[in-house]
């Protein structure tokens, strides 16, 4: 077996590595460092037949140790990384990139920027072409940092503007950052992927300079280009942009529809439902009901007063108008088996009443309509409410009692 | 003059030369086949002999190096090893006479020196790699160079651990990198023909010399000293003189990446002894360290077992006649008997433990409880030996030591002080890497907290030691076996009436290389524990000891086995 033919050297280095890993998992950084000193000589016998060779292992483990070791300083980290950069040409840009991340995480933005600039100017024969992806990422992050600088300048400018100062140099710098940022950000978002932050920043730039068409195009691409991975955020950004631009309800609704399909539990579903409820089109109102019911299927929404109030409002409206009770029936048919235990248990009634009166009010309304006046939830809450002489609960009680037969038609 | 072999007839060393140039023994007038001409170091017809003899006519090369042959390198290695052994207490005869003569005999037999002309070979002109050599284009031509292919971007070396196969040929115009003159030729030679010299074989030489002199060092001791660094092996080429430049294929020959394996060194020693046509080795008598009675005593002490067990080991040794001079002494030849003294002794001890304690995971504990009971009333004299207590003490020590050993092995540093290059092209990259390694070691070394520099443990015959002065009762040497013996016909016999054989039938070594097949799950835990203990002491696999145990059991119960082959549990 291959195990037998491994030299003792290899076996001993493998054993050494597993000691390092154990130490790291137990956060024993000194011990990990100690074993690493014995491991590093693997570099001299780097045969690179393994998928991950010693040089990469040392880079990653060393970085990790220097990150967490109590006595390791940023300076040591930097000097270590510089060595790692020289140790492998094939990995040069990757190391630069991760180095920059580390600097950013430690708040050394200027250093990170310098690093990225240096990396950007690196050329090494055919390696430059091979490491194209990393290069693009480096440029993208550089663009991001340029955006950050632009943003700072912009704020200064606005402040000065308020104070009545004019600052030409600041303005010029701001524009220069804009150009650099825009160029790099534009490039990276062309590549299929998840570029949320980059897109946001780029759109922000475009909007500031008034290029709304470009912004719209970018966001559309990001949301609708099938080459890009499905990303709810893309739709959210597009929606927010369109809202800012004062687009028609129709276009807003079409964007949110897709979001509802991808993420029925998204927080924007409340806005969506609100828009749909107000619509004149029957289909839209129907969709609204579907949307709000779907959102409340999720545990994270159980105590969302706004969501319950949307639902209760719509349901009340339907009950009073006596039209479209079948909508509620349709939505309820797949939920009647589990919603009662999920939302309307006696335990929840007590908890909701105690902690959030408005929540219990809205829920009681919904429960009363769906399950009738005799349901546990409604009974408890309305009783409590009436006992406390809160007016709306008294009104609620009357309403539900009056419309009690409805629940039979719904559940039938 | 300088022929020191023992006469085949009278074992004396007293040679003269006949008129025909042959050696004859002055004591018994036995004439040998060896001719004087061959042994005369002054006889020069051959450049090889020239360079080996005094080195005064070495050609100086441009880089300050000189021409050297692979066997010269090995000669130096052997010299260093012999010096180390001397420092450990081995008699000086070993280096100056025994080992040296074995080596010369080897050179002669393998026609590398001390003879008219190396058989069938002409020394091809092999130039050392210089900077103008284009390695890449040679790749296509030679499979030997496959060993040295260097990939530019990483500076990685794709080396194949196995030596070049004997069928690969190097075209004469290829210049293959090696510091030695015959490095590539050396690797190409057909192994089977002439018992090619390798690093592990240097240890075979050493052991053979030690055995000839009957020094008190077993093979496992020798190999342990190698691993502990007391005997040069890893990176021994660092001590070659400056002028002997090592590079390229030399590294394949002299660099080791694995520790020597007991079996391999031992088997090669036997092959070597046969190849050199050595006569019967000096007798191993019962006053020798290597005699089972002696070694058993040593291992019993080390294993913290009662001295009284020695009586039993001696009885077993006597019964199966493995203490006989003729059994123990090595007679080189194609079918020489394999006697591994250390493994043998340890196996005897294990058999004795099985005889007395059965070791079936039940009986030994029962016996221990019984001894414990009896010990309550036994306040005078030495306490009765309790297996349970011994087990606890030993297990604790063994686990600790094993853990230490595992960590040491993981921390082992393999690289040599002198950086090695496969080719001149490679040099700068190698140096750069070396620099980086040193710098990383410093950087992380500082973060290691207080780390004492690893000290070489001073060489010692014992790895575990137990002192009777310890009041915690952790030394069992003086304990008595009375607790588990009973009187029978005026003699003390074991209370245990049963025995289980490790295996009913021995396997054929030729088929699978083993006499038996050991799997931990097939045997009692106590047996495994005992194997593990001795496996740790000898630093060999438990299965090797198990094989030996099977052999001894076979001898011991031979008669009974012939009668009742079916039963695996025997009544004694």
């Amino acid at each position: 077996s291959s195990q037998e033919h491994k030299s003792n050297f290899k076996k001993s280095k493998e054993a050494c590595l597993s000691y390092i890993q154990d130490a790291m998992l137990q956060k024993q950084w000194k011990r990990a460092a100690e074993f690493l000193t014995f491991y590093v000589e693997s570099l001299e016998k780097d045969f690179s037949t393994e998928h991950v060779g010693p040089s990469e292992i040392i880079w990653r483990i060393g970085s990790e140790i220097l990150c967490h070791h109590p006595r390791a300083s940023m300076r040591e980290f930097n000097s270590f990384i510089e060595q790692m950069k020289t140790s492998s040409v094939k990995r040069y840009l990757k190391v630069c990139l991760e180095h920059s991340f580390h600097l950013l995480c430690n708040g050394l933005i200027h250093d990170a920027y310098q690093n990225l600039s240096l990396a950007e100017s690196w050329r090494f024969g055919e390696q430059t072409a091979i490491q194209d992806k990393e290069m693009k990422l480096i440029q993208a992050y550089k663009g991001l940092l340029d955006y950050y600088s632009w943003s700072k300048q912009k704020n200064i400018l606005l402040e000065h503007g308020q104070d009545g100062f004019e600052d030409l140099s600041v303005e010029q710098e701001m524009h220069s950052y804009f150009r650099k940022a825009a160029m790099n950000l534009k490039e990276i978002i062309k590549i299929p992927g998840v570029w949320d932050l980059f897109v946001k920043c780029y759109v922000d730039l475009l909007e500031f300079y008034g290029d709304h068409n470009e912004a719209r195009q970018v966001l559309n691409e990001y949301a609708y280009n099938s080459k890009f991975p499905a990303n709810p955020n893309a739709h959210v950004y597009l929606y927010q942009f369109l809202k800012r631009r004062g687009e028609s309800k129709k276009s807003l609704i079409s964007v949110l529809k897709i979001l509802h399909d991808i993420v029925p539990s998204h927080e924007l579903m409340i806005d969506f439902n609100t828009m749909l409820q107000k619509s004149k089109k029957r289909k839209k109102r129907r969709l609204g009901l579907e949307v709000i019911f779907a959102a409340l299927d999720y545990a994270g929404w159980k105590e969302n007063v706004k969501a319950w109030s949307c639902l209760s409002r719509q349901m009340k409206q339907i009950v009073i108008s006596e039209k479209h009770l079948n909508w509620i029936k349709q939505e309820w048919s797949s939920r009647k088996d589990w919603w009662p235990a999920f939302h309307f248990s006696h335990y929840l009634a007590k908890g909701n009443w105690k902690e959030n009166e408005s929540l219990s009010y809205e829920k009681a309304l919904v429960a009363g309509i769906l399950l009738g006046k005799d349901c546990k939830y409604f009974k408890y809450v309305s009783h409590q409410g009436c006992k406390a002489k809160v007016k709306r609960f008294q009104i609620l009680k009357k309403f539900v009692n009056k419309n009690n037969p409805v629940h039979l038609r719904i559940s039938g | 003059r300088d022929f020191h072999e023992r006469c085949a007839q009278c074992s004396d060393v007293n040679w003269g030369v006949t008129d025909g140039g042959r050696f004859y023994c002055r004591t018994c007038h036995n004439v040998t086949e060896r001719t004087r001409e061959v042994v005369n170091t002054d006889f020069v017809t051959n450049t090889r002999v020239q360079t080996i003899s005094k080195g005064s006519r070495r050609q100086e090369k441009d880089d300050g190096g000189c021409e050297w042959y692979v066997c010269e390198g090995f000669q130096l290695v052997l010299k260093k090893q012999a010096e180390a052994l001397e420092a450990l207490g081995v008699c000086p005869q070993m280096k100056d006479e025994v080992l040296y003569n074995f080596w010369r005999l080897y050179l002669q037999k393998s026609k590398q020196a001390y003879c008219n002309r190396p058989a069938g070979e002409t020394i091809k002109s092999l130039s050392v790699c210089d900077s103008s050599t284009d390695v890449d284009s040679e790749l296509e031509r030679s499979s030997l160079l496959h060993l040295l292919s260097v990939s530019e971007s990483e500076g990685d070396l794709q080396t194949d651990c196995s030596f070049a196969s004997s069928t690969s040929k190097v075209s004469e115009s290829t210049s293959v990198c090696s510091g030695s003159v015959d490095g590539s030729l050396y690797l190409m030679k057909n192994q089977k023909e002439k018992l090619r010299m390798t690093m592990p074989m240097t240890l075979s030489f050493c052991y053979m010399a030690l055995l000839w002199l009957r020094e008190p060092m077993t093979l496992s001791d020798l190999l342990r000293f190698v691993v502990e660094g007391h005997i040069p092996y890893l990176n021994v080429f660092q001590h070659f003189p400056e002028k002997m430049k090592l590079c390229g294929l030399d590294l394949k020959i002299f660099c080791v990446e694995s520790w020597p394996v007991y079996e391999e060194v031992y088997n090669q020693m036997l092959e070597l002894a046969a190849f050199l046509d050595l006569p019967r080795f000096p007798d191993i008598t019962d006053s020798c360290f290597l005699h089972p009675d002696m070694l058993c005593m040593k291992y019993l002490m080390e294993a913290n077992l009662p001295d009284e067990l020695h009586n039993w080991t001696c009885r077993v040794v006597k019964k199966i006649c493995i203490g006989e001079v003729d059994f123990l002494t090595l007679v080189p030849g194609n079918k020489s008997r394999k006697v591994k003294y250390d493994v043998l002794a340890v196996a005897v001890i294990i058999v004795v433990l099985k005889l007395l304690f059965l070791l079936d995971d039940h009986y030994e504990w029962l016996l221990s409880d019984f001894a414990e009971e009896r010990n309550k009333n036994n306040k005078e004299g030495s306490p009765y030996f309790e297996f349970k207590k011994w087990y606890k003490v030993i297990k604790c020590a063994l686990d600790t030591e094993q853990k230490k050993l595992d960590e040491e092995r993981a921390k082992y540093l393999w690289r040599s002080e002198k950086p090695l290059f496969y080719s001149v092209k490679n040099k700068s990259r190698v140096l750069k890497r070396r620099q980086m390694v040193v710098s990383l070691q410093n950087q992380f070394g500082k973060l290691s907290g207080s780390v004492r520099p690893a000290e070489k443990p001073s060489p010692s015959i014992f790895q575990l030691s137990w002192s009777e002065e310890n009041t915690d009762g952790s030394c069992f040497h003086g304990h008595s076996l009375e607790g588990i013996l009973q009187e029978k016909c005026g003699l003390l016999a074991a209370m245990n009436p049963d025995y289980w054989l490790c295996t009913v039938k021995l396997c054929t070594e030729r088929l699978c290389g083993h006499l038996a097949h050991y799997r931990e799950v097939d045997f009692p835990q106590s047996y495994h524990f005992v194997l593990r203990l001795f496996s740790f002491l000898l630093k060999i696999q438990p299965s090797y000891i198990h094989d030996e145990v099977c052999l001894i059991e076979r001898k011991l119960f031979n008669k009974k086995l012939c009668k009742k082959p079916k039963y695996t549990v025997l009544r004694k």
Side-chain angles (χ1 to χ4, degrees), chain A residues 7-9 12-13 16 19 31 34 37-38 40-41 43-45 47-48 69 71 76 83 87, chain B residues 156-157 257-259 406-407 409-415 433-434 439 441 443 445-448:
Chain A
S7 65
N8 286 132
F9 166 77
S12 106
K13 289 308 165 208
C16 191
Y19 277 101
R31 189 170 155 86
E34 185 191 347
T37 59
F38 297 112
V40 292
E41 65 169 11
L43 272 180
E44 297 196 40
K45 298 192 193 233
F47 299 137
S48 284
H69 196 288
R71 277 201 293 132
E76 275 189 41
Q83 281 184 78
S87 87
Chain B
D156 310 325
L157 297 156
E257 291 204 346
S258 285
W259 293 122
D406 289 340
E407 272 201 32
R409 282 187 180 151
K411 289 186 185 175
Y412 205 85
L413 286 175
W414 295 79
R415 67 176 175 93
R433 282 206 172 159
R434 170 60 54 95
S439 131
Q441 282 176 334
Q443 184 170 28
K446 289 202 201 105
L447 295 175
S448 301

Side-chain angles (χ1 to χ4, degrees), chain A residues 1-6:
Chain A
S1 75
S2 62
Q3 186 70 23
E4 283 157 24
H5 296 310
K6 261 192 236 179

Side-chain angles (χ1 to χ4, degrees), chain A residues 105-337:
Chain A
C105 289
N106 280 281
L108 298 164
I109 302 187
H110 179 66
D111 290 351
Y113 190 81
Q114 292 209 309
N115 235 291
L116 288 170
S117 300
L118 210 66
E120 200 188 3
S121 63
W122 181 77
R123 299 282 177 273
F124 200 96
E126 59 174 23
Q127 278 299 319
T128 326
I130 294 171
Q131 296 183 44
D132 179 57
K133 276 197 202 142
E134 285 85 351
M135 185 57 93
K136 286 223 158 54
L137 281 172
I138 285 171
Q139 287 166 334
Y141 277 95
K142 187 152 165 281
L144 207 59
L145 291 180
D146 282 325
Y147 167 84
Y148 177 72
S149 303
W150 170 85
S151 176
K152 275 207 299 202
Q153 298 301 95
K154 181 187 83 169
N155 288 336
I156 294 174
L157 204 65
L158 289 175
E159 264 180 42
H160 288 186
Q162 279 181 349
D163 296 339
F165 293 134
E166 272 216 10
D167 207 327
L168 207 60
S169 65
V170 170
E171 208 178 313
Q172 276 181 342
E173 263 194 74
M174 190 183 89
H175 292 321
S176 127
Y177 280 127
F178 159 70
R179 277 191 291 278
K180 287 195 274 193
M183 182 177 69
N184 282 327
L185 291 173
K186 181 173 179 169
E187 279 307 305
I188 198 69
I189 61 182
K190 279 189 196 161
I191 306 172
V194 178
W195 305 113
D196 288 355
L197 187 59
F198 301 88
V199 166
K200 273 178 88 171
C201 295
Y202 187 46
V203 165
D204 189 31
L205 286 172
L206 291 169
E207 280 191 289
F208 183 84
Y209 285 93
D211 194 349
H212 304 291
N213 282 328
E214 176 72 8
R216 183 199 307 268
Q217 205 166 338
V218 163
L219 288 168
N220 270 314
E221 262 293 293
Y222 195 53
Y224 297 128
N225 186 339
S226 56
K227 288 206 191 102
F228 282 71
N231 184 355
N233 293 333
H235 301 277
V236 172
Y237 299 154
L238 181 57
Y239 167 76
Q240 288 166 339
F241 172 75
L242 294 174
K243 199 164 164 196
R244 284 196 294 273
R245 301 297 305 145
E247 296 280 322
S248 69
K249 283 276 189 303
K250 189 167 169 201
S251 44
L252 292 175
I253 284 173
S254 74
V255 176
L256 286 179
K257 172 80 171 59
I258 301 177
L259 187 59
H260 162 74
D261 288 336
I262 308 176
V263 189
S265 58
H266 199 279
E267 59 183 3
L268 282 174
M269 292 302 107
I270 291 183
D271 289 21
F272 193 32
N273 169 268
T274 311
M275 266 193 275
L276 290 168
Q277 267 192 52
K278 292 195 194 136
S279 169
K280 293 199 178 77
K281 303 247 175 78
R282 194 158 30 109
K283 258 193 185 166
K284 295 272 187 320
R285 294 200 303 274
R286 175 72 186 86
L287 179 62
L289 193 65
E290 185 186 320
V291 164
I292 196 67
F293 260 105
L296 286 165
D297 279 339
Y298 290 85
W301 288 74
K302 276 168 103 165
E303 305 193 346
N304 192 319
V305 182
K306 197 100 205 321
W308 283 106
S309 81
C310 284
L311 180 59
S312 69
R313 188 178 351 124
Q314 197 166 9
M315 280 178 65
K316 192 170 173 187
Q317 212 256 333
I318 290 172
V319 166
I320 290 173
S321 71
E322 287 182 22
K323 271 200 283 194
H324 309 302
L325 274 171
N326 59 320
W327 288 359
I328 301 182
K329 185 170 174 180
Q330 280 162 12
E331 289 302 326
W332 186 236
S333 71
S334 64
R335 292 177 171 90
K336 64 182 179 216
D337 293 325

